[in-house]
Amino acid sequence: MDGRAAVTDKAETFLRGLTPRARGMLVRRLESDQAVPVEVDARRRLILEAARTIVESRRTTKQVTSGGTPDMRRLVFAAFEPYLIEERLTVPARGFVTSATLSHLWAYVSTELLPKEFGIWNDPATAPSFPNDAAYREEAARLEARLFEALTRHIEAIADEPKLQQRFMSRIGGEVARGEVDDIIAVRDRLDDLPTLSAAIVHLLDSGSADLGLLEQIATYLTKYPETAGWVAGGVFRRQSSVAPLIAFAKLLAGGETARRMRTTPTATAFIDLGFAAADRAASRFLTTLRSSRNVADAVAQIGTFRSVLNELTNGLDVDGDGWWQQRMVVIKRRFSEMLFAEFDKLLPALRRAFRVQEAPYPGPADGAEAVFLCAIFAAAGKCRDTLAINGLIGRLTPLVDQAIELYALDLPARLRSRDGETRAVALSAVDHLIKASGFLYGEDYASHLRRSKEQQLKAPRPAA
């Protein structure tokens, strides 16, 4: 089979798997298009991109069911996998759903709403056995329908019961989780259409020319089903890993570039809100790193991601032209800067603990690692101090950090020649951590200078006893 035939075959296979509504929309578009063959091929590539998204989702589903009793919770919510995030957002946004929310929701259904049908899947010993993966997926589809039917009835039943509503909210993870549950209920029946729409937007933005017909079809769909707009934006963000395309398409939907114009277009607003949610997510990831692994690479990466998202929002959107978005920007920046303030309060004490080796108790590897971590995020934050609104803090701390590092850089290598046994090993570990910290603060040249100083002291004659 040649390349063109293979593409056509995959596209047709994908079209057969779509809902009739989505398939009809694409087929009508292709049949009515009088474009040249190159543009037709581009649309086929668009369909293939969406097809790959669905193939990945199906592959995930197959992995869940392979090898013994499946994770039925994950299987039931498999359609939401492309939109799952691990971080809890401070403001819910259509297009992201927190993994913990689905876990809490499953627990609520399996213990209170439908315990006999769902509770058995929480224990492999009681989980039913099916002959093959297809049978497990069929059972998952049945359970998914039962879950949302029971959940919808339950929410309606407690609508006028504040105490029961509060209890439900607390069981599924709080107010933000409650908003996420409402969103997944609203979009559930449209999930099959989302990959195609997201891929169409990516194609539209990448093509460089305004395909008004395609834009009109997408806008019509989003207006008819406004609950899908944020989720479609989530699909675009997943493909592009950037907020700029969301803003660009929001402007197309609104037919203008002003914040006021976009605010009065609900579908455009959903795309902008997803951009702010991306910044919120980066902040949440950073907080998770601070509270758990304190991994240097992860923390620095999230600072960079946060800065990039904020820059894209600021450059692409007239934030000052809309009070709500302006306030969201202020809140998000403040949240991140407060996390940095709390960490940088620890910086100078951490340097003293890690690099002062005059007397016991001596610093250990954990002390050195903490000093390196704090120096790394201090350096990363300093490169985007204006964006993060921490210019004053960085300005006040920098001379104090410089003075401390200079002092330890003079003191520690010299101790390698004058110490023996445990204290020499302690000094060597401290020097190695100082080299790493200095690399983040001042670059590789300065770190290399300290490394050479260390080697010279190690090779120098030891003083007579």
Side-chain angles (χ1 to χ4, degrees):
M1 183 180 294
D2 61 24
R4 181 178 294 275
V7 169
T8 302
D9 181 67
K10 290 180 181 178
E12 290 175 351
T13 300
F14 168 65
L15 286 170
R16 284 193 297 269
L18 286 176
T19 62
R21 180 175 57 256
R23 182 167 61 246
M25 182 178 72
L26 275 182
V27 170
R28 284 193 300 274
R29 176 62 187 160
L30 291 173
E31 287 179 347
S32 64
D33 201 329
Q34 302 299 318
V36 297
V38 171
E39 292 176 343
V40 174
D41 284 343
R43 286 188 175 79
R44 287 175 178 161
R45 289 196 296 272
L46 151 67
I47 296 172
L48 280 176
E49 182 182 353
R52 292 190 189 102
T53 300
I54 288 183
V55 167
E56 289 175 5
S57 177
R58 289 176 177 170
R59 186 180 299 122
T60 299
T61 301
K62 290 179 181 179
Q63 290 171 350
V64 173
T65 60
S66 61
T69 303
D71 180 350
M72 187 55 75
R73 177 191 61 79
R74 186 178 174 193
L75 200 57
V76 165
F77 293 124
F80 289 96
E81 288 250 354
Y83 311 96
L84 280 184
I85 60 174
E86 296 300 322
E87 306 78 21
R88 177 69 74 192
L89 302 180
T90 55
V91 178
R94 287 178 175 174
F96 289 140
V97 59
T98 308
S99 179
T101 295
L102 296 187
S103 295
H104 293 323
L105 184 59
W106 173 271
Y108 189 79
V109 172
S110 63
T111 58
E112 299 200 24
L113 296 187
L114 299 169
K116 291 183 178 180
E117 285 187 76
F118 286 77
I120 56 177
W121 291 100
N122 292 332
D123 185 350
T126 61
S129 178
F130 289 87
N132 51 49
D133 288 353
Y136 276 115
R137 290 195 294 274
E138 183 177 346
E139 176 64 6
R142 185 189 72 81
L143 290 174
E144 189 263 358
R146 288 283 291 134
L147 184 150
F148 280 99
E149 178 187 5
L151 182 62
T152 302
R153 286 202 313 266
H154 179 67
I155 290 175
E156 291 174 352
I158 66 174
D160 298 323
E161 301 288 345
K163 289 184 178 180
L164 294 180
Q165 288 190 48
Q166 187 63 39
R167 183 176 182 277
F168 174 61
M169 186 186 302
S170 65
R171 288 292 305 278
I172 62 172
E175 185 177 355
V176 172
R178 179 69 173 84
E180 288 182 328
V181 169
D182 288 341
D183 289 342
I184 66 175
I185 290 174
V187 79
R188 172 179 168 258
D189 291 338
R190 308 280 170 218
L191 282 173
D192 288 344
D193 300 344
L194 303 186
T196 302
L197 292 163
S198 297
I201 290 170
V202 172
H203 166 73
L204 185 66
L205 295 173
D206 288 346
S207 64
S209 58
D211 187 335
L212 297 181
L214 182 57
L215 173 61
E216 182 179 357
Q217 286 191 339
I218 297 170
T220 299
Y221 184 95
L222 296 179
T223 301
K224 186 176 181 180
Y225 305 108
E227 70 277 6
T228 66
W231 299 91
V232 174
V236 174
F237 182 76
R238 182 169 178 262
R239 285 173 168 82
Q240 302 290 82
S241 298
S242 172
V243 170
L246 304 181
I247 300 173
F249 192 70
K251 292 176 179 178
L252 291 177
L253 287 174
E257 298 193 354
T258 65
R260 183 176 182 181
R261 187 66 178 265
M262 284 183 275
R263 170 61 71 188
T264 58
T265 308
T267 53
T269 298
F271 276 73
I272 300 299
D273 285 343
L274 200 281
F276 279 99
D280 194 5
R281 184 188 183 195
S284 293
R285 282 183 165 183
F286 184 65
L287 180 60
T288 298
T289 300
L290 295 181
R291 289 178 173 177
S292 55
S293 67
R294 297 185 78 78
N295 179 276
V296 168
D298 291 345
V300 170
Q302 291 313 315
I303 291 174
T305 299
F306 188 77
R307 176 195 186 187
S308 296
V309 172
L310 287 191
N311 283 339
E312 288 175 345
L313 287 169
T314 302
N315 295 332
L317 181 67
D318 177 21
V319 178
D320 295 336
D322 181 86
W324 168 248
W325 286 331
Q326 183 184 40
Q327 184 60 29
R328 282 207 68 184
M329 180 72 81
V330 170
V331 170
I332 289 173
K333 281 187 176 183
R334 182 185 298 126
R335 182 189 179 203
F336 208 94
S337 64
E338 286 175 352
M339 287 189 279
L340 291 174
F341 280 23
E343 292 300 311
F344 296 159
D345 278 346
K346 308 171 188 175
L347 179 53
L348 293 175
L351 295 181
R352 286 194 294 271
R353 282 195 303 273
F355 303 136
R356 291 185 66 177
V357 297
Q358 286 90 339
E359 57 186 22
Y362 297 117
D367 297 311
E370 177 69 358
V372 171
F373 177 81
L374 292 171
C375 286
I377 64 173
F378 182 76
K383 295 174 183 177
C384 46
R385 61 179 71 183
D386 291 330
T387 302
L388 300 180
I390 55 171
N391 199 27
L393 175 66
I394 296 294
R396 290 192 301 273
L397 269 181
T398 295
L400 300 176
V401 172
D402 291 346
Q403 184 180 11
I405 294 296
E406 183 180 3
L407 175 65
Y408 299 128
L410 293 172
D411 178 67
L412 278 176
R415 292 182 180 276
L416 294 177
R417 186 169 51 173
S418 61
R419 298 296 181 95
D420 289 307
E422 178 189 1
T423 57
R424 193 165 191 257
V426 167
L428 182 58
S429 175
V431 169
D432 288 337
H433 283 108
L434 179 64
I435 291 171
K436 292 179 182 179
S438 299
F440 286 112
L441 291 169
Y442 310 117
E444 183 55 32
D445 287 345
Y446 189 84
S448 296
H449 164 71
L450 290 183
R451 203 172 288 114
R452 288 192 297 271
S453 179
K454 181 189 82 170
E455 296 300 327
Q456 291 171 358
Q457 295 296 335
L458 289 174
K459 293 176 182 178
R462 306 294 299 280

